Every structure is written in C-alpha cells, then in structure tokens.
Amino acid sequence: MRNPFKKTFWRLNTELAAEESGDFSTQRKSQLFEQTKMYIFLQDFLKKITPYLEEGEVIQGYLPLTNQENTAVMTGGVMGMNYARQPEARDYVEKFHDVRGNRLLIFTDRRMLFVVIIEFLEERLFYSYPYDVIKSIMFKKHKIGFFDWSAATIGAIRKQTYYYTLDFQSGERIFTEMLSEEDAQILKRQLAAIPALQKILVSEKVQRNSKFDLFFSNATFQMRVLYGLSILTLLVLIVYLVLIVLGAFGWGPQKELFSVMHFMNLCSFDTCPYRIIM
C-alpha cells in the first residue's frame, strides 16, 4: 500500500502546478472530497516552514521520502528512534504513526531544503542546499532483476525494476538518497522547471570538493566496495569447497586432511603405535 505521506505531497505538487497554470477547478473539486486530517496537518506544517524562507523565495515542489521506498539507514531501527515532546510533534506521531521515517526535500527557486518532519517540529531543524554552490548533481538509474513467483502458474517470471541514486554536495553539506521511479519523475520535473537547477551539471558520477569526502562520504563507492567484498568472499568459499571435495577423492592440497581423518578412524587407543603415554 502506498505511503499516505507521499500521496499527500503528490497532491500538493499537483496544486503547485495548478497555481502556475491558473487552473484551480479540478484540484479544488478533488479537495472537497479528498481532504483528510493528514492533508490539513501537512498544510499547517508547511506554514511553519514559510518564515524560514528568504524574502521573495518561492516553493516550486516537494519530494517526500519514506523508509518504505527510500534509504532507511539513518532513519530506521535504532537510528530512527526519537521521542516526541512538543504537542505538535506528538500530534504528528499520532496521525502518521512515524518517528523519523518521513522526510521532505523542498525545491524552491533558490535552494533545496531537507527536513526530517519530527526534527523540525521538535527543534525547527532543517538543512539548506543553495543551488549556486552545487557543482554537479549525480542522478543515475539502476536496474534490478528478480523472479516473480506469484505471477506465474508454473515456475517464475523474470522481471525488472528500477531505482535511482541522487547525490550532490552544496558547500560543505552532502546529500545522498535512493529514489523510486515516481520520485525520479518528480526530480526530473524540477530539474527541467527551475532555472537555477538547469545551470547545474547532471551526470552519473559523484563529485566532491575534497578527496577525503570522495572516499568517506561517497555511498555509491562504499556500496561498490561492499559488493566487491561480498563477491570475493563468495568466490573464496566456493574454491575452498571445491578443494574439500577434491581432497575427499584423494586430489589436491586437502587430500592430506582426509588421510589424517582416515588414520584416526582406523587407529584406536590400544592399537595405535603413536598413542601418547602418560
């Protein structure tokens, strides 16, 4: 089931697009039938963000992020624990049944703002990424193949799914996130619609301001290293198992192991000439 947090902000994106085109009728009609407590709560939440915008700064769109479809490394499990103290934060936890899982990337005409909802409600904490100090944005598509056993009567059907990596550095701040297909479409629209974003190079390579950050703050590189180590470990285990099997048949460097085991099985304590005398 689609996360309601995302569905609400997708509707808000449609509302922003309607404001630009001057056509409110369809959105207003749908609001009359689809308004919920969650929608009203988020409208109130966005009003709390408005005072932190610069003079004349305009919000262009929203990219909602959740643990369900995006990265949950820093917002799930122990890292996702948080205690709601403020009344508005407790109200949020009650309505969304979430602590740190729901995040929001806000696109304005000048910068991106990243907000962990409960952190903002508790401490008014958010992160700013001005466009004018972003040298490049990595936006890369990845393909994953899998077998769908539920869609076939006999055997499984080979299917493919896609995900995207978003990575950039703005000043000293680094942002990395995994996006779903729907998230990627939102990002593509913003990249094409916001003039300041159009000036930034979009590539499939990570760029950092220092070599230290390129190594230690590069999730893509770290994933490749972990993947390589996993493959290497698997290969070592396979080679070892092959040597064990060959040794059982008297071939290879492991044959001595089986010779010793065979000798120990034949040699009892009373008959073994090499028994230890105490």
Side-chain angles (χ1 to χ4, degrees):
M1 184 177 180
R2 180 67 66 182
N3 189 296
F5 177 77
K6 283 197 169 187
K7 290 173 66 176
T8 304
F9 274 103
W10 288 351
R11 188 165 53 192
L12 288 173
N13 279 333
T14 304
E15 183 177 312
L16 287 174
E19 288 178 3
E20 292 180 357
S21 63
D23 181 13
F24 292 93
S25 58
T26 303
Q27 183 64 23
R28 283 180 175 175
K29 288 179 181 179
S30 64
Q31 286 180 3
L32 293 176
F33 297 97
E34 298 180 7
Q35 270 191 340
T36 61
K37 290 182 179 180
M38 189 177 298
Y39 181 82
I40 296 172
F41 178 88
L42 289 178
Q43 287 281 19
D44 184 57
F45 170 79
L46 294 174
K47 290 178 182 178
K48 293 181 174 66
I49 292 180
T50 302
Y52 296 92
L53 298 178
E54 299 174 357
E55 184 177 356
E57 187 175 10
V58 180
I59 293 177
Q60 302 290 331
Y62 309 99
L63 177 55
L65 305 167
T66 67
N67 287 351
Q68 181 180 351
E69 293 183 325
N70 307 105
T71 306
V73 176
M74 299 300 293
T75 55
V78 176
M79 299 297 292
M81 298 177 67
N82 203 332
Y83 179 70
R85 299 179 298 273
Q86 302 297 330
E88 56 187 355
R90 292 198 297 270
D91 186 36
Y92 162 76
V93 173
E94 180 181 349
K95 283 185 171 66
F96 286 85
H97 306 290
D98 170 78
V99 185
R100 299 190 69 242
N102 291 339
R103 294 96 67 196
L104 183 64
L105 189 62
I106 304 173
F107 298 90
T108 77
D109 56 340
R110 305 176 188 179
R111 55 180 171 162
M112 284 177 273
L113 301 175
F114 179 67
V115 182
V116 178
I117 305 299
I118 197 167
E119 288 184 352
F120 184 84
L121 294 175
E122 281 287 329
E123 308 172 41
R124 292 301 187 262
L125 177 64
F126 64 92
Y127 305 90
S128 176
Y129 304 93
Y131 299 139
D132 56 2
V133 291
I134 299 177
K135 295 181 180 179
S136 71
I137 295 175
M138 188 194 83
F139 182 44
K140 186 175 181 179
K141 185 176 184 179
H142 308 271
K143 180 173 65 176
I144 300 177
F146 66 97
F147 290 100
D148 186 359
W149 296 90
S150 62
T153 56
I154 300 177
I157 297 177
R158 177 72 173 178
K159 291 187 176 181
Q160 294 177 343
T161 186
Y162 299 91
Y163 73 94
Y164 296 77
T165 303
L166 171 63
D167 184 285
F168 60 85
Q169 181 169 1
S170 177
E172 297 300 321
R173 294 195 174 101
I174 295 171
F175 183 88
T176 302
E177 187 58 79
M178 312 302 289
L179 306 180
S180 67
E181 187 72 45
E182 293 86 353
D183 300 332
Q185 297 306 315
I186 294 175
L187 177 61
K188 288 178 181 179
R189 288 197 295 270
Q190 301 307 320
L191 290 173
I194 300 176
L197 273 177
Q198 295 174 2
K199 300 176 182 179
I200 301 174
L201 173 66
V202 178
S203 69
E204 295 188 351
K205 294 183 178 180
V206 173
Q207 182 172 333
R208 293 286 185 265
N209 297 338
S210 68
K211 292 182 179 180
F212 180 87
D213 287 334
L214 188 61
F215 180 79
F216 290 100
S217 300
N218 186 348
T220 302
F221 174 75
Q222 293 168 0
M223 288 178 63
R224 289 177 180 175
V225 171
L226 290 175
Y227 179 76
L229 290 175
S230 300
I231 295 297
L232 180 61
T233 302
L234 180 61
L235 290 175
V236 170
L237 289 174
I238 291 174
V239 170
Y240 183 73
L241 289 175
V242 170
L243 292 176
I244 290 292
V245 173
L246 291 175
F249 289 96
W251 301 322
Q254 297 297 323
K255 64 181 181 180
E256 299 297 333
L257 173 64
F258 288 91
S259 298
V260 173
M261 292 176 61
H262 181 67
F263 174 79
M264 292 177 64
N265 289 332
L266 294 178
C267 184
S268 66
F269 181 79
D270 294 328
T271 60
C272 182
Y274 302 103
R275 67 179 182 274
I276 300 175
I277 300 176
M278 301 299 292

